[in-house]
Amino acid sequence: MQFATNQTKRLCTVIASTITLASTIHCTGNRRAAEQKCLALLQDCNSLSKLTQVHTYILKSGLQNNPLVLTKLTATSSDLHAIDYASSFLFSPESDTGLYDTFLFNTIIRAYAQTNNSKVIAIFMYNLMLKYNILPNKFTYPFVLKACAGIGNLKLGKSVHGSVLKFGFADDVHVQNTMVHMYCCGKEGTEFARKVFDEMSKLDSVSWSAIIGGYARFGRSSDAIDLFRQMQIAGICPDEITMVSVLSACTDLGALELGKWVESYIEKEKVQKTVELSNALIDMFAKCGDVDKAIKLFKNMKHRTIVSWTSVIVGLAMHGRGVEAVELFEEMIRSGVAPDDVSFIGLLSACSHSGLVDKGRDYFDNMKTNFGIIPKIEHYGCMVDMLCRAGQIKKALKFVQEMAIEPNPVIWRILINACRAHGELKLGEKFSRQLIGNEPMHESNYVLLSNIYAKMLNWEKKMMIREMMDRKGIRKIPGSTMIELGNEIYEFVAGDKSHNQYKEIYEMVDEMQRKMKQAGFVPTTSEVLLDIDNEDKEDSLNTHSEKLAIAFALLNTPPGTPIRIVKNLRVCTDCHSATKFISEIYNREIIMRDRNRFHHFNNGLCSCRDFW
């Protein structure tokens, strides 16, 4: 493996010349004094150029094989981010392998493990260490496991875990903590992480933070919150890293009240309010439905990053406040903060959700010319979504055909949904069949085609698609709605009878339906993609997860208080229309977060203006 950069190679050539010259010079003076001088020079070394000068002095003094000096030289190279330089002379063909020891390898492995693009070399060095029969110690494995986490190789991490057991370091808390972190870097590793965590005899804040962060990162948000509560019971004080993960879990669940409690907890416990933690608070409030609080926190920040600006822009976009999002983007530019590709995704999304098609086109066209940002697939996706939401299907298709990069399945699914919504059913059928050919195991492709056949009232072909899914073992993701009440998260699915109040909930649903019909509500039975009569279709619509969650809230919250629900899929037309009626009949503000955006229902109207 080649370690040295071109600069390092040139430096080594200079060193080699010096060695030749040094061979004619007899080292004089006390060898011990020379050793001390070398160590002192290395201690004061603060640049690569000085390091090469000291290295030259070491060679002239004949101390290149002195273990103490060699180890210090390696450590200094690491501190100066010049570990390639050290590797070039440590592992050359002329190197004396008898000088290698555990501390030397630990120094090199640590340096490579902490370098973004060199973590694989850390693993190589660990294997080289074992090859030379140099035994690792408890300080070796945190660095090796960190490198495994950095490259996301769970199989390799399991192998290193085996070595940890073999060499008897499985009970060391630092090794255990790093192992939990390593397993939490992949979704499939969280169960292994929990097993290590549960078997630890001593848990500290690092242990809790690692497992909570892993759960929050991979969608196990309820488990992350539950672990945080256990952490409090255990009397372990969390740090700002833990709180960022907890806020991320609150954001995923849409748990605004829990998020508010976390904010007060941060203040009460005086957790350090880093920029990252402030950004997490902004993101949580924006995505849990209180974008005005997010704006307030943003304005009170002393130091803002591009993440701070982008979090508010995305939040405004999700709430359909596109004009404000555009104004904030322009303010960001005026303040001297250069937008990045993520902030442009938020901006284009804001234009899409607010119908600002012309403005969105201008921003997309100016990304490269004014800001030097090459559009990525996500930006193209925003543009296709923008045109489709505006009903401009033909323009959207032309845009896709002229894209500078190959459209991905997400973009085709956006087009297919738009074709179904705007009556271009034959076109939608064609694209769906192409997608199934390219992605034969992706459930969404079959669901899209099935829904198009239902819209065509072609029940025979719809049944064929469903049977095809069954044969391939493909299952549709069920729609669900979550609601937070009394610091608990309740989840409902269509037709759900698992809740202990289900009888009262269904009675409330019936009451809601009677009052809505009296107020003029007409169910959108075309949303029921089944070959059944209209009465059965209405019954099916009544038990959608959104309506069950709203009925549960009406039963268990004081009159006049807001209701907040979170849906994992896009809200259907019937539930959107029904929720407008419910908000007026029961005098409730209902805030719904679906997969795409927020809907604020109040007095029979929705903030999206039926544009979603």
Side-chain angles (χ1 to χ4, degrees):
M1 181 174 290
Q2 184 68 41
F3 298 109
T5 61
N6 291 334
Q7 181 187 16
T8 303
K9 289 178 181 178
R10 290 195 295 271
L11 290 168
C12 289
T13 303
V14 174
I15 296 293
S17 302
T18 307
I19 295 172
T20 305
L21 178 63
S23 64
T24 64
I25 300 174
H26 297 284
C27 190
T28 60
N30 186 291
R31 196 168 187 80
R32 177 65 177 167
E35 179 186 281
Q36 293 300 314
K37 183 174 181 181
C38 288
L39 293 174
L41 289 170
L42 288 168
Q43 184 67 37
D44 295 334
C45 202
N46 58 11
S47 69
L48 182 57
S49 61
K50 286 186 179 180
L51 180 66
T52 58
Q53 293 173 24
V54 176
H55 190 190
T56 302
Y57 176 80
I58 292 169
L59 294 168
K60 289 174 67 176
S61 303
L63 294 172
Q64 65 270 21
N65 291 328
N66 181 298
L68 191 60
V69 172
L70 187 62
T71 299
K72 182 63 177 175
L73 177 61
T74 305
T76 304
S77 299
S78 173
D79 293 341
L80 295 173
H81 307 291
I83 195 63
D84 281 348
Y85 176 76
S87 298
S88 67
F89 60 77
L90 283 171
F91 300 101
S92 66
E94 299 80 19
S95 299
D96 180 2
T97 58
L99 296 172
Y100 299 161
D101 62 9
T102 303
F103 184 83
L104 185 69
F105 268 100
N106 283 355
T107 302
I108 294 170
I109 291 170
R110 179 186 65 182
Y112 281 121
Q114 292 174 338
T115 305
N116 287 337
N117 300 321
S118 302
K119 298 184 189 303
V120 68
I121 303 178
I123 306 298
F124 173 84
M125 285 296 180
Y126 170 68
N127 289 327
L128 194 63
M129 180 183 191
L130 299 179
K131 178 183 176 183
Y132 286 127
N133 294 318
I134 296 170
L135 291 177
N137 61 18
K138 66 179 183 179
F139 300 108
T140 308
Y141 285 104
F143 306 139
V144 177
L145 289 164
K146 182 177 181 181
C148 293
I151 60 178
N153 192 325
L154 184 60
K155 184 178 180 181
L156 185 60
K158 287 181 180 179
S159 175
V160 175
H161 187 175
S163 294
V164 168
L165 295 170
K166 175 184 175 182
F167 288 109
F169 301 117
D171 292 330
D172 183 83
V173 67
H174 300 296
V175 175
Q176 291 171 324
N177 283 343
T178 319
M179 202 175 302
V180 172
H181 169 72
M182 181 274 296
Y183 279 126
C184 281
C185 285
K187 185 175 183 179
E188 65 277 17
T190 51
E191 290 303 326
F192 294 102
R194 185 60 186 266
K195 188 173 187 298
V196 174
F197 178 84
D198 287 341
E199 292 174 354
M200 290 175 68
S201 58
K202 182 182 178 182
L203 297 168
D204 58 18
S205 62
V206 178
S207 321
W208 288 98
S209 184
I211 191 71
I212 290 170
Y215 277 8
R217 194 177 304 115
F218 293 108
R220 296 182 60 174
S221 300
S222 295
D223 292 329
I225 298 299
D226 185 52
L227 276 168
F228 176 62
R229 287 170 176 151
Q230 292 180 41
M231 182 181 183
Q232 291 174 277
I233 293 169
I236 304 296
C237 187
D239 59 15
E240 66 276 8
I241 297 172
T242 311
M243 300 315 298
V244 167
S245 297
V246 173
L247 286 167
S248 174
C250 293
T251 302
D252 181 52
L253 295 170
L256 180 62
E257 294 307 313
L258 182 59
K260 287 179 179 179
W261 179 87
V262 171
E263 182 194 26
S264 64
Y265 178 87
I266 290 168
E267 297 295 336
K268 187 181 77 170
E269 297 297 326
K270 295 182 171 54
V271 179
Q272 184 183 1
K273 193 79 77 71
T274 60
V275 173
E276 290 75 17
L277 183 53
S278 296
N279 287 341
L281 279 165
I282 290 171
D283 191 56
M284 182 277 294
F285 277 110
K287 291 179 180 176
C288 286
D290 194 347
V291 72
D292 290 314
K293 177 61 184 289
I295 293 169
K296 183 179 178 182
L297 288 173
F298 171 78
K299 289 182 176 178
N300 289 335
M301 285 182 73
K302 292 181 180 178
H303 304 288
R304 300 169 183 165
T305 64
I306 183 65
V307 176
S308 316
W309 290 91
T310 301
S311 295
V312 181
I313 290 169
V314 170
L316 288 167
M318 289 181 69
H319 288 267
R321 292 161 65 169
V323 174
E324 292 174 70
V326 169
E327 289 173 352
L328 189 64
F329 180 83
E330 294 294 344
E331 184 185 337
M332 179 180 76
I333 294 171
R334 288 193 298 271
S335 69
V337 177
D340 61 9
D341 58 326
V342 180
S343 53
F344 265 104
I345 292 171
L347 177 68
L348 293 173
S349 177
C351 293
S352 176
H353 285 296
S354 300
L356 305 174
V357 178
D358 292 337
K359 193 169 281 291
R361 275 188 174 278
D362 289 341
Y363 279 119
F364 181 83
D365 293 339
N366 290 333
M367 275 178 61
K368 183 177 179 180
T369 54
N370 292 1
F371 301 100
I373 298 173
I374 305 298
K376 296 181 178 179
I377 193 69
E378 293 84 0
H379 303 104
Y380 284 104
C382 287
M383 289 302 298
V384 175
D385 184 60
M386 185 186 307
L387 292 168
C388 286
R389 285 179 187 277
Q392 301 177 19
I393 309 299
K394 299 296 185 185
K395 288 184 178 180
L397 179 57
K398 186 172 185 292
F399 181 86
V400 170
Q401 292 168 340
E402 295 175 353
M403 280 170 52
I405 55 180
E406 189 72 21
N408 65 3
V410 174
I411 287 178
W412 287 113
R413 281 192 275 272
I414 292 170
L415 267 173
I416 293 166
N417 269 318
C419 287
R420 174 175 168 264
H422 296 282
E424 297 284 352
L425 301 179
K426 286 293 182 183
L427 199 57
E429 179 187 13
K430 175 186 173 183
F431 295 151
S432 294
R433 288 197 168 278
Q434 289 174 351
L435 264 186
I436 289 174
N438 295 331
E439 288 185 318
M441 295 307 293
H442 199 293
E443 57 93 15
S444 294
N445 302 333
Y446 294 90
V447 173
L448 287 171
L449 184 55
S450 172
N451 290 347
I452 284 174
Y453 284 140
K455 193 85 170 180
M456 291 176 170
L457 303 182
N458 192 332
W459 306 112
E460 183 179 349
K461 284 190 175 181
K462 172 185 164 59
M463 187 59 67
M464 286 172 57
I465 295 299
R466 293 294 181 173
E467 289 173 353
M468 189 186 303
M469 291 177 69
D470 289 338
R471 286 197 304 271
K472 294 186 177 184
I474 300 171
R475 295 287 176 266
K476 178 184 176 183
I477 297 172
S480 67
T481 301
M482 291 185 293
I483 181 168
E484 179 189 19
L485 198 64
N487 285 333
E488 294 289 335
I489 305 294
Y490 298 89
E491 185 172 13
F492 294 89
V493 295
D496 201 337
K497 292 188 178 181
S498 62
H499 196 278
N500 57 12
Q501 274 189 288
Y502 84 88
K503 290 183 179 178
E504 294 95 325
I505 291 170
Y506 276 77
E507 287 172 3
M508 176 56 74
V509 167
D510 290 340
E511 178 190 303
M512 286 159 44
Q513 193 68 12
R514 285 196 305 273
K515 289 187 175 182
M516 284 192 293
K517 282 192 172 182
Q518 289 170 5
F521 172 69
V522 178
T524 312
T525 54
S526 59
E527 284 290 318
V528 180
L529 305 178
L530 298 171
D531 187 15
I532 54 179
D533 60 38
N534 273 350
E535 186 175 343
D536 288 337
K537 286 184 177 182
E538 286 188 27
D539 289 340
S540 173
L541 290 170
N542 287 345
T543 60
H544 276 195
S545 62
E546 301 96 308
K547 290 172 184 166
L548 296 178
I550 291 171
F552 173 71
L554 290 172
L555 286 169
N556 293 283
T557 57
T561 57
I563 295 172
R564 298 176 185 275
I565 59 176
V566 178
K567 184 169 171 60
N568 67 331
L569 302 175
R570 181 180 182 271
V571 60
C572 75
T573 304
D574 182 77
C575 285
H576 189 271
S577 178
T579 307
K580 288 194 289 185
F581 274 86
I582 294 167
S583 71
E584 184 170 27
I585 292 167
Y586 290 92
N587 191 29
R588 296 287 195 110
E589 180 186 9
I590 302 173
I591 301 100
M592 178 191 295
R593 188 181 92 183
D594 72 3
R595 186 175 61 185
N596 295 326
R597 61 168 297 155
F598 275 92
H599 301 264
H600 293 255
F601 300 92
N602 212 345
N603 295 322
L605 300 173
C606 180
S607 60
C608 75
R609 303 186 303 279
D610 296 336
F611 184 82
W612 86 100

